[in-house]
Amino acid sequence: MATIPHRPELHVTPEAGVLDAPAGALLDGDTWHIFHQYRPTPNSPARLAHQVSAGSPFEWDTCEDVLAPQGNETLVRAGSVVPADHGVNIYFTSVTESGTSVHLAHIADLIETTTDVSDDDYAVDPHVRRVGEVVGDRDGFHDFRSPCVVPGWVTDDDRSEGHRGWLMLSVTGEQTAPKLVLLKSDNGYDWQVLGPVNFRGHTGLDFDKPLVSPRLIRLRDEVDGEIYDILMVTVENEGIDISGYLVGRFHGADFEVRTAFSRIDFGHDFTRPRITNSTPGTVPADQRYHSGSLFGLMNGIGRFDEASDHPSLQLEGWANCISLPRIITLQEGLIYQTPPMGLPDQIPETSGAASWTGLCEIPTGSSLQVEIIDETGDVAAVVTHQGDILSVDRSMNRYHVGDHVAQAPLAEGDTDSLSLFVDGSTLEVFADGGAIAMASRVYLDGSCREFRVRTEGQAEIIRSYERFPRNFDSSALPDYEENEFGEDDVDEGPVR
């Protein structure tokens, strides 16, 4: 098999240059749109790029950039993307030498941005119309940035739930001591400050650490049936990003906490999550709050990243990627995350992706260990499920020598599940029905050649299956068996 490059096939990556952060995601029917902050070269000023995938969130095509610095702007930074006025509003951070402010751009016809794409790497889509500044210094707050904008949330079955009009969560103030501020608008253009976000109840947050990149979504708890606001934030903790969420309800600018800050991902590299919005009619009204989907940047140090350190930039001219989308639900005040529909079936169509999934029983004190073997026969990473702890260790990998072992706590249960997805230089792990997610960049020499599985103690694999590309050379591996659905998996890789 030919050596597979570091670039993932199922993830969003820049064709060249540096992907800094996702700005927003939008689902329009069955077509996915990702907008992200990006630099064509490591020394270029940041702009916003646009990629699209029709029918699934796995086959991405690059469109023309939607925004680039103009006038006295030094760069433009990430914000959010929402449907509006039969088109799309892009709220973004405009950066000048005097500070930052929130600006608005509008796309009247999203489909037009996906056709007749220029070969010019620096072209800006002519279908994007700049509206201008919508939130600047005011009411004692300065340097508004990182806007998260949400249209009206009033529910059809309970008019007392939610709000009318639009909400904006924004970061303000000094970079070392930012404040979250909530604003409202009747039309998405004219904004009024409601005040700084105040937390009522135990938050689990260290307010001495900067809170950045806020995001807001509503979900109905599958257990008590109530609708809650989920506030996602990223904590900049001594050069490491820790992204998580709080569950509760906003009353004006006051957030009443039900669930204190909980990490959304325990891997080495997941930060600044972004919620997927949808155009009218894409999601049935009665399903609007049952689930959502989110993406994140697979880079654990966020804005402190040094692009030149990436092997992918050194060898292939690009750096950073966005995670696979995750389907999220709320259960007893906790977020559960599962891979997107269709992912296992997509793997055989790739050149080098792979997955391993197992349903197991792993009592505390026992363990299941999955080694990811690259084309040279070396161990690239080890995922270990110990019943009460899940860990990802990449320190034996020559690209990650000495890295810490990422760990996540697991709740006790009757059965344990584990799913691993390897795609280029990415590893995403889901455990115990989505209770835990762990994303890490793992550079392999070539593709994933094999999953080497071991159990210790009383750990038992009830059933498991693997998927590899259709052209995978399985001559040195065991014969095919039936998968967990009782079907022959010949087209999808060897099954253990």
Side-chain angles (χ1 to χ4, degrees):
M1 180 184 293
T3 298
I4 304 300
H6 295 311
R7 186 189 298 276
E9 297 173 76
L10 306 176
H11 292 66
V12 172
T13 62
E15 287 188 345
V18 182
L19 193 159
D20 288 326
L26 185 72
L27 181 59
D28 180 24
D30 65 352
T31 300
W32 296 75
H33 297 263
I34 285 280
F35 301 84
H36 62 81
Q37 184 179 319
Y38 150 78
R39 287 173 283 150
T41 69
N43 297 320
S44 301
R47 48 173 54 202
L48 293 191
H50 175 203
Q51 296 195 35
V52 63
S53 179
S56 75
F58 307 121
E59 300 180 274
W60 296 97
D61 293 319
T62 301
C63 303
E64 291 176 339
D65 293 345
V66 292
L67 293 166
Q70 66 178 36
N72 63 345
E73 287 177 332
T74 56
L75 54 97
V76 294
R77 287 181 10 207
S80 60
V81 179
V82 296
D85 299 331
H86 307 289
V88 175
N89 277 357
I90 303 175
Y91 296 87
F92 64 97
T93 305
S94 171
V95 183
T96 66
E97 291 184 357
S98 60
T100 63
S101 57
V102 175
H103 282 224
L104 171 63
H106 182 73
I107 300 173
D109 189 336
L110 193 58
I111 294 177
E112 289 183 342
T113 66
T114 66
T115 60
D116 298 325
V117 177
S118 169
D119 292 331
D120 181 359
D121 292 339
Y122 290 87
V124 176
D125 197 308
H127 302 101
V128 182
R129 177 179 63 89
R130 284 208 183 208
V131 176
E133 180 180 290
V134 291
V135 182
D137 294 356
R138 64 176 71 175
D139 300 323
F141 300 101
H142 65 93
D143 289 322
F144 285 82
R145 58 194 183 273
S146 299
C148 169
V149 176
V150 184
W153 272 352
V154 175
T155 66
D156 293 331
D157 57 340
D158 185 349
R159 306 302 289 183
S160 66
E161 290 281 1
H163 67 273
R164 298 182 187 277
W166 300 55
L167 290 182
M168 178 190 293
L169 263 174
S170 179
V171 178
T172 67
E174 303 300 325
Q175 196 128 25
T176 55
K179 293 182 179 179
L180 303 185
V181 172
L182 191 67
L183 305 92
K184 70 175 183 178
S185 172
D186 292 330
N187 55 21
Y189 296 85
D190 304 304
W191 292 90
Q192 173 188 349
V193 173
L194 290 175
V197 174
N198 262 332
F199 292 97
R200 296 180 185 171
H202 174 62
T203 66
L205 290 167
D206 180 355
F207 290 102
D208 290 333
K209 308 290 186 184
L211 301 182
V212 298
S213 196
R215 282 299 180 266
L216 195 57
I217 188 175
R218 298 199 104 196
L219 290 175
R220 186 184 298 275
D221 194 300
E222 294 183 356
V223 177
D224 67 16
E226 298 292 322
I227 295 175
Y228 294 93
D229 302 335
I230 292 94
L231 172 60
M232 299 182 182
V233 293
T234 295
V235 181
E236 293 184 339
N237 182 30
E238 298 178 356
I240 302 295
D241 279 5
I242 300 175
S243 294
Y245 64 93
L246 300 94
V247 179
R249 285 196 176 98
F250 267 108
H251 304 281
D254 294 337
F255 188 82
E256 183 180 355
V257 179
R258 178 196 178 195
T259 303
F261 182 80
S262 304
R263 287 190 65 167
I264 202 162
D265 188 287
F266 288 84
H268 298 88
D269 295 295
F270 187 91
T271 185
R272 299 169 194 259
R274 298 292 188 262
I275 303 300
T276 302
N277 291 316
S278 59
T279 56
T282 295
V283 178
D286 61 351
Q287 297 295 314
R288 186 177 180 190
Y289 301 120
H290 287 264
S291 65
S293 60
L294 63 81
F295 295 80
L297 175 67
M298 289 193 67
N299 183 318
I301 57 177
R303 66 185 180 89
F304 300 102
D305 180 48
E306 178 53 62
S308 62
D309 293 338
H310 290 256
S312 62
L313 186 75
Q314 299 164 8
L315 299 173
E316 298 168 9
W318 65 275
N320 289 329
C321 69
I322 296 175
S323 73
L324 294 167
R326 300 172 177 189
I327 307 305
I328 59 172
T329 55
L330 186 64
Q331 303 174 38
E332 293 189 296
L334 298 174
I335 282 182
Y336 282 71
Q337 304 171 76
T338 54
M341 292 287 290
L343 176 57
D345 294 333
Q346 192 70 30
I347 289 174
E349 310 304 321
T350 68
S351 298
S355 70
W356 185 92
T357 297
L359 182 64
C360 320
E361 290 188 359
I362 310 172
T364 300
S366 302
S367 68
L368 166 71
Q369 185 180 85
V370 183
E371 294 180 337
I372 298 168
I373 309 299
D374 67 19
E375 286 193 6
T376 67
D378 291 334
V379 178
V382 180
V383 178
T384 305
H385 193 310
Q386 295 176 280
D388 59 348
I389 295 175
L390 181 69
S391 64
V392 175
D393 184 1
R394 61 185 184 184
S395 63
M396 75 296 296
N397 187 316
R398 70 185 181 94
Y399 295 103
H400 306 284
V401 173
D403 281 7
H404 74 281
V405 178
Q407 292 187 329
L410 296 170
E412 293 185 9
D414 294 333
T415 57
D416 305 289
S417 63
L418 184 63
S419 295
L420 284 65
F421 298 93
V422 180
D423 179 27
S425 54
T426 69
L427 168 64
E428 298 192 54
V429 182
F430 300 87
D432 292 4
I436 293 295
M438 302 182 75
S440 296
R441 295 298 299 276
V442 176
Y443 286 95
L444 284 73
D445 286 320
S447 63
C448 173
R449 173 66 180 170
E450 179 187 359
F451 294 103
R452 191 174 296 157
V453 184
R454 297 186 177 91
T455 59
E456 292 185 1
Q458 298 179 340
E460 178 186 359
I461 300 174
I462 300 170
R463 55 182 178 267
S464 66
Y465 65 97
E466 300 175 350
R467 281 183 169 85
F468 287 92
R470 293 187 188 279
N471 63 352
F472 183 78
D473 180 7
S474 60
S475 59
L477 298 175
D479 294 335
Y480 293 105
E481 299 174 4
E482 288 187 345
N483 65 20
E484 64 174 350
F485 304 107
E487 299 170 346
D488 197 18
D489 239 355
V490 171
D491 288 338
E492 297 167 335
V495 180
R496 310 290 175 83

